[in-house]
Amino acid sequence: MTAFLTIIVLVLVAIAIWQMTKIFELSQVKSEKSEVANDKDNKLNGYLMFGFLVFIYLLTIISFWKWGDKILGTPASEHGSEYDNLMYISMALIFFVQIITQALLHYFAFKYHGKKGQKALFYADNDKLEFIWTIIPVITLAGLILYGLYTWTNLMDIDEEEGDPIIIELYAQQFNWKARYAGADNVLGDANVRLIEIDKNNVLGIDETDPYAKDDVVSQTELHLPVGRKVIFKMRSQDVLHSAYMPHFRAQMNCVPGMITQFSFTPTVTTEEMRADQGMQSKVQNINQLRAERRANGEDVDSWEFDYVLLCNKICGSSHYNMQMKIVVEEEEEFNAWMEAQQTFGEQMASAQ
Ligand SMILES: [Cu+2]
């Protein structure tokens, strides 16, 4: 530690001496070593501007080439393609505009670099020009914002009466997820954090006296969803802010302690179908190749099979990175069979007596 402090002191002293010599140099009037940029400096800076332009374009091309396939791939929900379109259109527009404006900016900096005796043109203003460069971004941005708002309203318009949805509660806590199905009556029973009873395994604090709660089904390991059926998620959190993130379904909603938030989507691709998806297969292959390399280095990792996941997308604590739940999207019959095999909350409480 003392050695480290000594080094820091020495470095600071060196910087101080260097700064003092600079000040001393500046205070001397020397005409041959002027601080004013000459033609050679300006030319060099002009070329550096060009060089920087080439650098950012190359960086873009390499990024696309190397990581272009890291996007999420086929969306697995009804609204997914609508959501993807909004993002692709916005990105394409930004990309197009930035390619042109960066080229112009750096080219002009190069073309009009300082030259001895050359004087900049004094050009006060031009109403027509200002109108054009104001109105074009205004129209483009207004279009994008309206399109975004339209898509957002479409996604967030959750109608519980329409399309026979199933109601599922997602319950977040440090650091896991639990899912509660509303059962045959499709109404979730009341719940409160004060009613949590670990001895009876009532981990969600479901109200035993509420008749709607009797047929509720709690799953602590997997979230099963029937394909093609609208799902309305009601999110709760026990402790801090979490965020239910289901990237393959293009869905995310914050889970806020003390309130219920909601999100709805219709899954369109079963787990089996997604496993057969070509883009997904190449991703899985890539991951398994990395895992094989780690295995070769003596690490204990299995090869991976694709599964949908529910992740937490808010940094909620030390094990946030591992706060996830497997999602299984399956045919209606398979879903019903799975549901049949689960214990209802009423049965669970009866057996806990
Ligand atoms: Cu979390």
Side-chain angles (χ1 to χ4, degrees), residues 241-242 312 314 316 320 323:
L241 268 184
H242 298 274
C312 176
K314 279 269 177 297
C316 56
H320 151 78
M323 183 169 163

PDB file of all heavy atoms in Angstrom, residues 241-242 312 314 316 320 323, ligand 1:
ATOM      1  N   LEU A 241     -38.598  -3.927  -6.948  1.00  0.00           N
ATOM      2  CA  LEU A 241     -38.985  -3.868  -8.359  1.00  0.00           C
ATOM      3  C   LEU A 241     -38.361  -5.023  -9.120  1.00  0.00           C
ATOM      4  O   LEU A 241     -37.152  -5.234  -9.040  1.00  0.00           O
ATOM      5  CB  LEU A 241     -38.464  -2.571  -8.976  1.00  0.00           C
ATOM      6  CG  LEU A 241     -39.347  -1.343  -8.997  1.00  0.00           C
ATOM      7  CD1 LEU A 241     -38.618  -0.249  -9.754  1.00  0.00           C
ATOM      8  CD2 LEU A 241     -40.663  -1.627  -9.683  1.00  0.00           C
ATOM      9  N   HIS A 242     -39.183  -5.784  -9.821  1.00  0.00           N
ATOM     10  CA  HIS A 242     -38.682  -6.795 -10.754  1.00  0.00           C
ATOM     11  C   HIS A 242     -39.315  -6.476 -12.105  1.00  0.00           C
ATOM     12  O   HIS A 242     -40.183  -5.603 -12.207  1.00  0.00           O
ATOM     13  CB  HIS A 242     -39.113  -8.203 -10.328  1.00  0.00           C
ATOM     14  CG  HIS A 242     -38.579  -8.630  -8.993  1.00  0.00           C
ATOM     15  ND1 HIS A 242     -37.360  -9.215  -8.837  1.00  0.00           N
ATOM     16  CD2 HIS A 242     -39.119  -8.537  -7.750  1.00  0.00           C
ATOM     17  CE1 HIS A 242     -37.162  -9.490  -7.558  1.00  0.00           C
ATOM     18  NE2 HIS A 242     -38.219  -9.084  -6.867  1.00  0.00           N
ATOM     19  N   CYS A 312     -35.941 -12.034 -15.239  1.00  0.00           N
ATOM     20  CA  CYS A 312     -36.151 -10.764 -14.559  1.00  0.00           C
ATOM     21  C   CYS A 312     -35.266  -9.735 -15.235  1.00  0.00           C
ATOM     22  O   CYS A 312     -34.088  -9.967 -15.459  1.00  0.00           O
ATOM     23  CB  CYS A 312     -35.805 -10.874 -13.081  1.00  0.00           C
ATOM     24  SG  CYS A 312     -35.969  -9.277 -12.266  1.00  0.00           S
ATOM     25  N   LYS A 314     -34.898  -6.445 -14.196  1.00  0.00           N
ATOM     26  CA  LYS A 314     -34.542  -5.307 -13.331  1.00  0.00           C
ATOM     27  C   LYS A 314     -33.461  -5.808 -12.395  1.00  0.00           C
ATOM     28  O   LYS A 314     -33.608  -6.901 -11.838  1.00  0.00           O
ATOM     29  CB  LYS A 314     -35.735  -4.856 -12.470  1.00  0.00           C
ATOM     30  CG  LYS A 314     -36.722  -3.979 -13.176  1.00  0.00           C
ATOM     31  CD  LYS A 314     -36.358  -2.512 -13.008  1.00  0.00           C
ATOM     32  CE  LYS A 314     -37.308  -1.620 -13.773  1.00  0.00           C
ATOM     33  NZ  LYS A 314     -37.316  -1.795 -15.207  1.00  0.00           N
ATOM     34  N   CYS A 316     -32.291  -6.613  -9.411  1.00  0.00           N
ATOM     35  CA  CYS A 316     -33.056  -6.623  -8.163  1.00  0.00           C
ATOM     36  C   CYS A 316     -32.252  -7.148  -6.989  1.00  0.00           C
ATOM     37  O   CYS A 316     -32.759  -7.258  -5.886  1.00  0.00           O
ATOM     38  CB  CYS A 316     -34.326  -7.440  -8.353  1.00  0.00           C
ATOM     39  SG  CYS A 316     -33.998  -9.103  -8.925  1.00  0.00           S
ATOM     40  N   HIS A 320     -29.963 -11.739  -9.122  1.00  0.00           N
ATOM     41  CA  HIS A 320     -30.857 -11.300 -10.195  1.00  0.00           C
ATOM     42  C   HIS A 320     -30.596 -12.045 -11.509  1.00  0.00           C
ATOM     43  O   HIS A 320     -31.518 -12.440 -12.214  1.00  0.00           O
ATOM     44  CB  HIS A 320     -30.684  -9.792 -10.401  1.00  0.00           C
ATOM     45  CG  HIS A 320     -30.953  -9.331 -11.786  1.00  0.00           C
ATOM     46  ND1 HIS A 320     -32.223  -9.175 -12.279  1.00  0.00           N
ATOM     47  CD2 HIS A 320     -30.125  -9.019 -12.806  1.00  0.00           C
ATOM     48  CE1 HIS A 320     -32.158  -8.774 -13.524  1.00  0.00           C
ATOM     49  NE2 HIS A 320     -30.906  -8.687 -13.876  1.00  0.00           N
ATOM     50  N   MET A 323     -32.562 -15.244 -11.947  1.00  0.00           N
ATOM     51  CA  MET A 323     -33.991 -15.247 -11.621  1.00  0.00           C
ATOM     52  C   MET A 323     -34.767 -15.568 -12.894  1.00  0.00           C
ATOM     53  O   MET A 323     -34.996 -14.691 -13.736  1.00  0.00           O
ATOM     54  CB  MET A 323     -34.383 -13.868 -11.073  1.00  0.00           C
ATOM     55  CG  MET A 323     -35.823 -13.792 -10.648  1.00  0.00           C
ATOM     56  SD  MET A 323     -36.116 -12.274  -9.731  1.00  0.00           S
ATOM     57  CE  MET A 323     -37.895 -12.200  -9.805  1.00  0.00           C
TER      58      MET A 323
HETATM   59 CU    CU B   1     -35.797  -9.628 -10.115  1.00  0.00          CU
END
